[in-house]
Amino acid sequence: MNPIQRVMVLFGMLMLPVMAHDYGDALTKSILFFEGQRSGKLPPSQRMTWRKDSALRDGFQIGVSMHSYSRIKVDLVGGYYDAGDNVKFNFPMAFSTTMLAWSVLEFGGFMGSDFPHAIDAIRWGTDYFLKATSIPGFVFVQVGDPYNDHHCWERPEDMDTLRTTYAVTKNLPGSEVSGEIAAALAASSMVFKPIDLAYSARLLKRARMVFEFADKYRGSYNDSLGPWVCPFYCSYSGYEDELVWGAAWLFRATKAAYYWNYVLQNINNLERNIGASYSSGSFAEFGWDTKHAGINVLISKASASQFFLIMTDSTANSYPFVPNADKFVCSVLPESPTVYVSYSRGGLIFKSGGSNLQHATALSFLFLVYGRTLSQANRVVHCGNIVANSARLIQFARSQVDYILGSNPLGMSYMVGYGRKFPERIHHRASSLPSVNQHPEHIDCNRGSSYYNSNNLNPNLHRSCRGRARY
Ligand SMILES: *[C@@H]1O[C@H](CO)[C@@H](O)[C@H](O)[C@H]1NC(C)=O
């Protein structure tokens, strides 16, 4: 960003109408979203009642696939559908579960009546991942033939598409997806420790096993499952970051030296491997495929907390985590001389590719966590001649969240169901087709097209159990 663009961004931010946002309402609705994505047998506590049971035979069907293990039958009922379709993509699903767990570990104490729903959202993921890793030597990584699914516009309750199961094995490895599942299980085990000790222990034991499998049989699921995972959720940044990320979570969950040493030994390889890109772009990335910034913030946080005495260790200065996390901050903050990300005129982080808000939300989350770490450690970040303190990091995260909730040039909320004006024709099969309550008859693959092509608003609001009623 050149100085003129930077002034425009800062000016744009000042010009926005000042709005007070109801973060509690946004939290409630973001957790409700996960209920709308549920696959499998829905519990009586389900609040999104326009959704019904679906995909009750996932894993039991013998899939049509190029791999012989598709003849193995395993219960894979449950988990979450991806975005607006009916495939279960375990790589991004595991990352979402890790992030839900991290959110609860960090902010659960502020969640009030949403806390039990956040716990349910995590458990819906981890129950499924326990199934997906229940056969030693296999990690199931996907359910549903993505081409067949994308070809049909169908409610999950009506699905008659191919529910092929895909797995990685010793000979056909997938360390990124296995590493991320290990991270999700380890992070979630920490959440459940004070709630359900036996379940927590089960998650942790499985996390260790899955991590060992991911590390021992190294490779990308790109190469093992080729066209079934690409171009959907290819591993663009390789699997090395997920192995370190998985080890970092296992270290936090177990405090075992083995995982700490693993992180230390491999973080430098990670930096060497990504070489030049690590000194520029990768620092400003965090998402389902790229974990670098998350690793540095997570470990820096652990270092600053009372549990770990890493900072007082005589070799502490040689650890890269805190300098890397500082560098991450300097690559994102708009006023930093080394800013790497772009901003829209209204001040939103903008990256090329789809689903832009994933970047704004994930990076903001890290800013909140690191902002708290800085205040705990009584530190500030220096970006050239700019000093960023904890309050600045938190203010930055808030600016991104406020933009999403409506403090933007269009005065529109980008969170469905939040505020007075929000997107009402979202690309989402279940939301855009009439619910089974209104339309019990089966709607097949082709008949769904008329709803897809319709200009009507989606009949099901993907956050509320009360149809289109608003408050
Ligand atoms: C996976 O495939 C994508 C798309 O072809 C490619 O850009 C990426 O480098 C591949 N990743 C690995 C780890 O091979």
Side-chain angles (χ1 to χ4, degrees):
M1 199 161 24
N2 67 37
I4 294 173
Q5 284 170 318
R6 197 171 302 151
V7 168
M8 280 173 69
V9 165
L10 294 173
F11 186 68
M13 287 173 174
L14 293 175
M15 291 306 289
L16 293 173
V18 179
M19 285 168 103
H21 288 290
D22 186 344
Y23 301 125
D25 188 37
L27 173 69
T28 302
K29 287 163 182 171
S30 69
I31 296 171
L32 267 173
F33 169 81
F34 285 91
E35 281 195 15
Q37 297 298 104
R38 282 175 174 176
S39 178
K41 175 110 192 98
L42 302 182
S45 59
Q46 173 82 11
R47 295 171 295 168
M48 302 283 263
T49 51
W50 53 270
R51 282 293 328 285
K52 306 291 170 199
D53 296 352
S54 62
L56 297 177
R57 303 207 22 89
D58 272 4
F60 294 105
Q61 287 151 311
I62 292 177
V64 179
S65 151
M66 55 191 179
H67 300 296
S68 57
Y69 55 69
S70 68
R71 308 198 73 78
I72 291 178
K73 293 187 184 188
V74 56
D75 174 2
L76 293 174
V77 175
Y80 292 109
Y81 296 118
D82 181 70
D85 62 28
N86 300 332
V87 181
K88 298 195 289 201
F89 287 109
N90 295 5
F91 188 25
M93 194 202 300
F95 177 67
S96 301
T97 306
T98 309
M99 291 308 292
L100 278 169
W102 195 358
S103 306
V104 166
L105 291 172
E106 195 74 30
F107 304 108
F110 304 105
M111 290 184 179
S113 59
D114 280 308
F115 182 79
H117 298 299
I119 299 300
D120 287 348
I122 296 169
R123 200 170 191 139
W124 197 266
T126 48
D127 280 350
Y128 170 75
F129 288 122
L130 286 173
K131 293 179 174 185
T133 55
S134 60
I135 304 180
F138 290 82
V139 170
F140 287 86
V141 302
Q142 197 164 309
V143 182
D145 178 320
Y147 300 95
N148 193 214
D149 181 88
H150 290 173
H151 171 70
C152 291
W153 198 255
E154 272 192 313
R155 300 180 292 201
E157 294 82 2
D158 282 340
M159 264 191 295
D160 44 20
T161 45
L162 292 171
R163 299 300 288 170
T164 314
T165 58
Y166 303 90
V168 295
T169 64
K170 293 174 184 174
N171 299 327
L172 293 165
S175 301
E176 63 286 273
V177 55
S178 308
E180 187 60 59
I181 292 174
L185 293 169
S188 304
S189 80
M190 294 179 71
V191 169
F192 283 101
K193 208 165 178 184
I195 299 170
D196 183 342
L197 196 57
Y199 189 68
S200 164
R202 236 180 111 202
L203 296 179
L204 189 55
K205 189 174 170 207
R206 192 64 64 82
R208 286 173 177 272
M209 281 172 57
V210 176
F211 176 79
E212 194 189 326
F213 171 82
D215 183 42
K216 197 164 169 190
Y217 307 102
R218 293 189 181 201
S220 169
Y221 83 156
N222 264 19
D223 298 323
S224 307
L225 290 167
W228 305 108
V229 299
C230 283
F232 309 102
Y233 287 96
C234 301
S235 175
Y236 295 97
S237 76
Y239 57 80
E240 292 85 357
D241 55 335
E242 278 82 17
L243 288 176
V244 178
W245 172 243
W249 274 109
L250 276 159
F251 168 60
R252 266 199 76 179
T254 62
K255 303 185 182 74
Y258 173 80
Y259 297 113
W260 174 240
N261 291 331
Y262 188 99
V263 171
L264 275 189
Q265 278 156 19
N266 290 285
I267 192 83
N268 293 321
N269 294 341
L270 198 60
E271 287 180 67
R272 262 197 299 279
N273 283 353
I274 30 189
S277 74
Y278 201 59
S279 59
S280 53
S282 293
F283 265 106
E285 287 278 6
F286 183 53
W288 58 266
D289 186 39
T290 312
K291 312 294 151 58
H292 309 111
I295 294 164
N296 291 316
V297 169
L298 179 68
I299 298 280
S300 301
K301 188 199 152 56
S303 316
S305 76
Q306 287 129 355
F307 298 113
F308 303 100
L309 298 173
I310 293 162
M311 297 300 270
T312 58
D313 186 318
S314 58
T315 55
N317 291 338
S318 63
Y319 294 150
F321 311 106
V322 170
N324 282 354
D326 284 3
K327 208 166 166 186
F328 157 68
V329 167
C330 297
S331 67
V332 173
L333 270 186
E335 68 270 31
S336 161
T338 51
V339 61
Y340 186 84
V341 302
S342 304
Y343 286 85
S344 72
R345 280 210 203 165
L348 181 72
I349 287 175
F350 181 78
K351 295 195 177 210
S352 58
S355 310
N356 187 58
L357 295 185
Q358 68 176 313
H359 307 296
T361 50
L363 297 177
S364 296
F365 179 86
L366 293 187
F367 265 62
L368 286 180
V369 174
Y370 201 54
R372 284 156 61 95
T373 305
L374 288 180
S375 102
Q376 265 179 308
N378 210 6
R379 280 187 63 238
V380 294
V381 175
H382 293 272
C383 307
N385 56 349
I386 301 281
V387 177
N389 61 14
S390 165
R392 174 60 187 133
L393 267 61
I394 292 166
Q395 179 195 45
F396 171 80
R398 187 173 187 156
S399 76
Q400 298 300 299
V401 170
D402 286 351
Y403 184 108
I404 294 166
L405 296 180
S407 299
N408 56 55
L410 289 181
M412 175 176 194
S413 157
Y414 292 102
M415 178 175 201
V416 173
Y418 178 91
R420 262 172 300 171
K421 189 178 161 196
F422 52 82
E424 305 199 72
R425 289 180 59 225
I426 54 168
H427 182 95
H428 193 278
R429 284 165 174 74
S431 168
S432 74
L433 287 152
S435 84
V436 173
N437 293 333
Q438 264 75 50
H439 193 295
E441 304 81 34
H442 180 87
I443 303 172
D444 72 18
C445 171
N446 296 324
R447 276 207 301 142
S449 313
S450 61
Y451 296 97
Y452 176 80
N453 293 321
S454 162
N455 288 324
N456 296 338
L457 306 185
N458 289 0
N460 306 305
L461 203 46
H462 192 354
R463 65 95 175 116
S464 164
C465 54
R466 277 187 239 104
R468 299 207 58 79
R470 292 188 192 150
Y471 37 93

